[in-house]
Amino acid sequence: MKDLTSHSVAIIGAGMAGIAAASQLQQRGAHVEIFEKSRGLGGRCATKRWQEQTMDHGAQDFTQRDPRFIEALAQACGDRLLPITMPLRDAHGNALQGRQRWFHREGMSRLARDLAAGVQVHTAQELSSALPLLERFDAVLSTAPWPQTQRLFGLQAGAAAASYLPCLAALFLYRGLALGRSADTHGFHQPGMDLAWSACENHKPGRIQGEFTAIVAHAGTSLSQRHLELGPEAIADLLRPLVEQRWQLPPEALAHSLGHRWRLARVGQSMSDAPALPAGLHFAGDALRQSRVEDAWLAGHQWACQYQP
Ligand SMILES: Cc1cc2nc3c(=O)[nH]c(=O)nc-3n(C[C@H](O)[C@H](O)[C@H](O)COP(=O)(O)OP(=O)(O)OC[C@H]3O[C@@H](n4cnc5c(N)ncnc54)[C@H](O)[C@@H]3O)c2cc1C
């Protein structure tokens, strides 16, 4: 790999792809700065500190398959990563067998913060165009989802299309511990159904304070598309009956609820090839692979390994 000393790269987005690219470019000697529109890091690896609880409302957990990802996590997070140990179930209630899934003890957004140690990140910097960055940096890498990247780069919509699907999410706190199916289940994975995913955050140790059963819910794509413009309260109201039925929760025990809209939640159709872009402009993100934490990290890491000025 060519040494990049005296080369500078601006990266848009402090999600997994942006952080992975930044670390790898720095290891190659480049000067790197990340510009992130939110106040925190992580992008869709998102955690809400809400009602004194710590709940993941974006990515729920992640795989560790690729040795490069495993090594980066071991160095950055040490023993702060824990495995999911309670059963995940399908729509019929059968336990799902599969690869081990992991979460960060302090919230999925902390995964990003740990991995970004030593990287210069400017938060609360929402860019409307990437082009002014080219006056200060040799290259710009955008890791914002592709439709946002197209706008940042001033490109026509449609080129190298990757489509994204929305997801409505909601957080619920019920008074009482281990209510209903939360006693024997971490989550229900029901792709294609109105309640596509739901999980009990109490099974992530240290997350839930006091005597509450905490549930995260994600609507399926079709339900999300039909109700995309609902506000936070209405999103929670939409998902609540589905959650109470699935988890056998007493409605009168509900203490708090909060909805969240992910407009560009997951890649529906990924890119077959990296897009051809004007000189100095680059793109990496889960659209190059698939919508998984590990794949987003690999997309950023591989881009930075292959990058040649
Ligand atoms: C509800 C939900 C559940 C999921 N569940 C899982 C799961 O359980 N397991 C799993 O492996 N994956 C899951 N995923 C997918 C996973 O979260 C994503 O694939 C991955 O986090 C994408 O990383 P990224 O870096 O490509 O993009 P992002 O995380 O979206 O990062 C892009 C960053 O760019 C920033 N940005 C955008 N525009 C601008 C701008 N104009 N100026 C500055 N910054 C900007 C954004 O704020 C963001 O931080 C889930 C995703 C969602 C939404």
Side-chain angles (χ1 to χ4, degrees):
M1 265 183 276
K2 194 174 160 203
D3 179 67
L4 295 176
T5 310
S6 79
H7 193 77
S8 63
V9 182
I11 296 182
I12 302 174
M16 295 304 284
I19 288 167
S23 305
Q24 183 59 20
L25 289 175
Q26 279 193 178
Q27 280 183 30
R28 292 181 63 191
H31 170 78
V32 181
E33 294 178 36
I34 299 186
F35 298 85
E36 166 56 50
K37 75 174 172 189
S38 304
R39 277 176 292 143
L41 277 54
R44 282 171 274 163
C45 285
T47 304
K48 267 205 199 307
R49 321 277 162 201
W50 171 71
Q51 300 291 343
E52 297 168 30
Q53 315 297 348
T54 302
M55 295 179 71
D56 298 321
H57 61 296
Q60 301 288 292
D61 50 42
F62 55 92
T63 51
Q64 298 191 50
R65 304 175 200 204
D66 189 282
R68 294 163 293 181
F69 188 50
I70 294 171
E71 192 190 330
L73 290 175
Q75 279 180 14
C77 308
D79 63 1
R80 291 189 292 283
L81 302 183
L82 298 172
I84 302 273
T85 52
M86 290 287 281
L88 258 186
R89 300 185 189 280
D90 65 15
H92 307 290
N94 300 318
L96 289 165
Q97 308 301 327
R99 204 171 275 265
Q100 183 69 69
R101 309 192 70 81
W102 300 80
F103 62 96
H104 193 293
R105 209 169 57 190
E106 293 157 37
M108 290 291 286
S109 61
R110 282 305 295 255
L111 186 66
R113 265 219 265 167
D114 284 359
L115 286 165
V119 175
Q120 194 177 350
V121 186
H122 307 281
T123 53
Q125 300 279 323
E126 179 161 8
L127 305 181
S128 52
S129 168
L131 304 183
L133 290 171
L134 280 177
E135 291 163 21
R136 291 171 44 212
F137 294 85
D138 296 313
V140 176
L141 169 69
S142 174
T143 64
W146 178 246
Q148 297 172 338
T149 293
Q150 281 182 307
R151 281 195 292 278
L152 286 162
F153 286 178
L155 302 173
Q156 296 291 325
S163 64
Y164 289 71
L165 305 171
C167 175
L168 299 180
L171 308 178
F172 298 95
L173 286 177
Y174 289 86
R175 282 184 212 89
L177 281 173
L179 296 180
R181 292 305 303 268
S182 73
D184 70 351
T185 300
H186 168 64
F188 288 99
H189 184 47
Q190 319 180 129
M193 296 180 67
D194 280 351
L195 183 66
W197 167 266
S198 52
C200 176
E201 289 281 279
N202 297 64
H203 300 313
K204 294 178 174 172
R207 294 291 190 84
I208 302 306
Q209 312 303 316
E211 308 252 306
F212 290 103
T213 295
I215 304 287
V216 178
H218 292 158
T221 301
S222 164
L223 190 68
S224 299
Q225 283 168 332
R226 277 184 277 132
H227 298 277
L228 194 55
E229 302 309 327
L230 292 182
E233 275 179 35
I235 292 173
D237 289 346
L238 179 73
L239 290 174
R240 180 181 172 186
L242 302 174
V243 165
E244 288 172 358
Q245 188 189 25
R246 175 74 276 184
W247 289 82
Q248 298 166 15
L249 298 170
E252 65 278 8
L254 183 74
H256 303 284
S257 62
L258 180 68
H260 180 90
R261 174 177 51 217
W262 292 101
R263 225 177 251 286
L264 305 172
R266 287 172 187 272
V267 176
Q269 189 192 323
S270 53
M271 291 172 173
S272 43
D273 291 306
L277 291 168
L281 299 177
H282 304 268
F283 170 75
D286 61 352
L288 290 173
R289 296 175 63 97
Q290 58 174 332
S291 277
R292 299 246 133 251
V293 171
E294 181 166 11
D295 282 278
W297 186 91
L298 283 168
H301 177 80
Q302 278 173 344
W303 178 86
C305 288
Q306 288 160 8
Y307 174 65
Q308 296 297 342

